[in-house]
Amino acid sequence: MPLEEEPLKFFLENGYEKKKCPKCGAYFWTIDKDRITCGEAPCDPYSFILNPPTERKYSLEEMREEFLSFFEKEGHKRIKRYPIVARWREDVYLVNASIYDFQPHVTSGKVPPPGNPLVISQPCIRTVDLDNVGKTGRHLSVFEMGGAKSFNFPGKEIYWKDKAVEYSRKFLEHLGVNPIEITYKEKPWSGGGNAGSAVEVMVRGLEVATLVFMDMVEDPNGEYEIDGIRYKKMDNRIVDTGYGIDRFTWLSQGTETIFETLYPEMVKSLMNEVGITTPEFLKEFINKSTMEDGSEIKFLQQLPADEREKMEKLSLIYMLSDHSRALTFLLFDGLVPSNSKAGYVLRMMIRRSLLAIQKLKMKTTLWNLIEIQEERFKDILDTRLEKSAREIVELETDRFNELLMKGDSLIKKYSKNGSISEENVLLLFQSNGLPIEYIRERCQALSIRLPESINKVKGFNNVRKDNENKKQSITGTYPPTRKLYYENEKNFEFKSKVISLEGNGVILEETAFYPEGGGQPSDRGYLVINGNKYIVDEVKIMNNVIVHYLNSTSGIKKGDAVLGLIDKDRRERLMKNHSATHVLLSSIRSILGPHVWQSGAQKDPAVSRLDITHYKDISAEELKEIENRANEVIRMDIPLHKEFVERNKAEEKYGFILYQGGIPDGNQLRLVEIPGIDAEGCGGTHVDRTGEIGFIKIIRVEKIQDGVMRFHFTAGKSALEIVQRMDDELRIIKETMGNDPLSVYNSIKKELNEVRKAISSGTEEHLISYKGNDIRIIETDEVIADEISKSIKTGVAIIKSDERLRIASLNKSISAIELLKVLENKGIVKGGGNSEFAQGKVLKQNLQWKEIEEGIKYN
């Protein structure tokens, strides 16, 4: 994406010359007439080490403030940092750049920016080079990106390319850097769905900033292509400058590596504990590491054994210093470890750190390091999460130690004839949670050959796959439907007019029918047209147009008058259960802690569910506290506050807790607030006062995946019906077995055991063969499926019920998770687990045991 189409006046008017680097072939701008190369390593070596070009040395905190203050004086509004977990986005999990804070809602023009121009220092996570952290002296897993942004929309120009380049030079001059040492290297940029031309800013071999001129948006039919993705021009032009606050700090200090600059006290303390000193060859090693051709590895291999060991220990200390900072931001932004999504990054960083501590034989614990980082960055952290952060680290440490005790046996299990395949390395890494460096080290110790591709094993993918847009579409263009359900949620009858028909769908001028959305199913009822009554099966919203899908559209035409009749009982139950979801979530956060985040929800007229992130099992006492807290809020009969507000104002007042239930599209956010209790952006239907909910009953809680707990609950009339049914059942039991509670309990327990035995003896069992081993497929009832899976003492069994598939393996040559993944690839099941036990949701209706056999047999 060359800049030749629009030469920058700033370069032309200030004596810059455009040159082509003979080493990398890139074009760059410089005022140094004698300069030949582009100014970036490896074309130019680091010449700032022990020779900084700035007037004085800065700490990270000082450089952050220097950057923010500079741009604030230049008319930019200072914005507080966003969470490192991208709660406001549906397309990515973690923030990789400061522009991620404003994509896609601001960059698309749907939402005005919180300042224009603005400046922010945003912590970011980088996962693509995790294996290099500590080894090269410059790679980081966490960094702060200083962003000076200008959003130019049609009819409102702030500033564009020339001013952005001018600011970058002024800031470097402000720090004391001579302009003759600055080069601007042309390079296209893309990320987060946008792209544009860019220049990278170099000083003495180090890239310190990237100035992006974003004027394109991702489009499969676009005329421009960057890194295999196509883009088209957009009306908005955005200056997205990313200043590396960490790198500017390093530039100012000129230490041998970036770690001595960022973590001087921690590095020194850990070196003292481990008993090593700074190697004399460190500067030479860092210059080798910038060559990007493996020069640093060759350099280390040529060192004497004692010096090589010292460098390996120092690399681990560097990695620990950086990872502990990354972990601090992830934990204090409320992330919970898991085997998937962003929680996977957290878990792997914890495990890499724990391995380093073990190798260094340190007394200092991982939590000790995180405490130091917390104290340092407390002004930009939510320190309320300290308790959960500590518990998570302690639990993960115990779990990892248990895993390591089985590490060698797991590696041997997945190996064959003295070697291990790339597929099995991936299973050990992704499913069992063994870090790649551990697998590499243990395989060497066990004389097991590794595939050459081990260094290219795919890690974390920051792109969300679970939120792909699969909505139905409409062919015509229509005005937005007037939403009567927001004007009066207790309006169950209305009049309207037919605008158009699309298949079996009817579009009206206005409607009181709530369309499916936000985990709430659509209303049902009838449309009365021309004296005929049509059943409304479901209601959808697409592009702000509401479509009513009917059992038949025969006899309906455009312009017909309509009488809408909504199923009142269903709507009221959904309203109460939806409001109960908000009350329950706030109660869970109140009892379990602010790390809890809604992971999913599905409202239902009878029993609803709420999925939350949490790192351990929930006790019976905690459940009682949660339920009591929720019903206390109901008894308080608090009026709900419901209104449409500007998104930026809502974020400024309530923060990103607004997005517990999902991310709204556009500038207007419907705020549903229970004052003093909960505030969320929510498009669902709700009661007017908490007292209308009646009461909340938690039916059961289950762990549906690592780090996610599911609450099954009900409210109002539905809750009353369930409690009455439970009461009837208890009364019948008492009448049958007597009134003594203990006696009743013991009798029930005995009877249940007999029932389980009876059902178990009546289950169907089939024997199949897999890799020379027998596997039992047991078809049974969901009620006792768990009991059967726990009773497996030998061999391998697949327990099939209508809802779930459970795999138990006590055969060391067959992994439960391996079998599950085979069936997952066949579209039969979706889930997770480990080598001994795995389970998942059955994806195929009326799944037959023969399909399981074929899925495994023909793998």
Side-chain angles (χ1 to χ4, degrees), residues 322-339:
D322 181 63
H323 272 20
S324 61
R325 177 180 162 204
L327 289 170
T328 302
F329 277 98
L330 290 169
L331 288 166
F332 282 80
D333 274 355
L335 194 59
V336 171
S338 73
N339 286 334

Side-chain angles (χ1 to χ4, degrees), residues 101 108 121 234 264 312 327 336 452 469 540 704 786:
D101 298 348
S108 65
S121 186
M234 61 180 181
E312 288 171 355
L327 289 170
V336 171
E452 292 182 5
N469 191 347
K540 300 276 187 181
I704 60 167
D786 270 331

Side-chain angles (χ1 to χ4, degrees), residues 274 312-314 316-317 320 355-362:
V274 173
E312 288 171 355
K313 288 181 176 179
L314 188 56
L316 291 175
I317 287 171
L320 272 174
L355 271 180
I357 289 170
Q358 285 189 14
K359 288 180 183 178
L360 293 170
K361 299 177 181 177
M362 289 166 37

